[in-house]
Amino acid sequence: RTTSREEFPAHPVSPANYGNGVRKAYAPSPVKFEGKTTMREEYPAHPVSPTPTVAKKPYRMYEAKFDDRTTSREEFPAHPVSPANYGNGVRKAYAPSPVKFEGKTTMREEYPAHPVSPTPTVAKKPYRMYEAKFDDRTTSREE
């Protein structure tokens, strides 16, 4: 049993009372309505005509030939791009400096290495099956 079930007991609920206690099945009125409803008076039906259909013209291929020239191509000609010039025009392959650096860089001074230790490991407990037997009965099924 839960504390919720004990603190909030179910209250008896009786069906709604309809006059003499019996609710009749719905039946439409046999008297025909001859008048005009307020909805019909305030919202008169407007005539709706179908939209006119438009005859489709047959597809015609564009007849002008494209000669591979556009105004954009004429106004913005492609400029020749030359390779970067490195002094005499020959770029050397990268080679690190043979002189060993003995000092300390500003990066090394401003960002010292902090010691990092591994997190301690926690021994896992072996899995244990829940030992209580379930007798196929619950408070929900009883109530």
Side-chain angles (χ1 to χ4, degrees), residues 121-129:
T121 56
V122 178
K124 290 184 178 180
K125 295 179 183 177
Y127 176 73
R128 208 179 80 202
M129 190 76 160

Side-chain angles (χ1 to χ4, degrees), residues 51-103:
T51 56
T53 57
V54 178
K56 290 186 177 179
K57 295 179 181 176
Y59 177 72
R60 215 178 73 203
M61 190 76 159
Y62 188 66
E63 295 165 2
K65 297 286 182 188
F66 180 63
D67 63 351
D68 197 30
R69 295 197 55 79
T70 61
T71 55
S72 176
R73 187 169 287 180
E74 289 172 2
E75 292 170 6
F76 302 100
H79 298 288
V81 179
S82 60
N85 189 3
Y86 295 100
N88 59 1
V90 178
R91 187 174 184 178
K92 297 176 187 173
Y94 170 76
S97 173
V99 180
K100 188 173 180 184
F101 181 70
E102 299 289 336

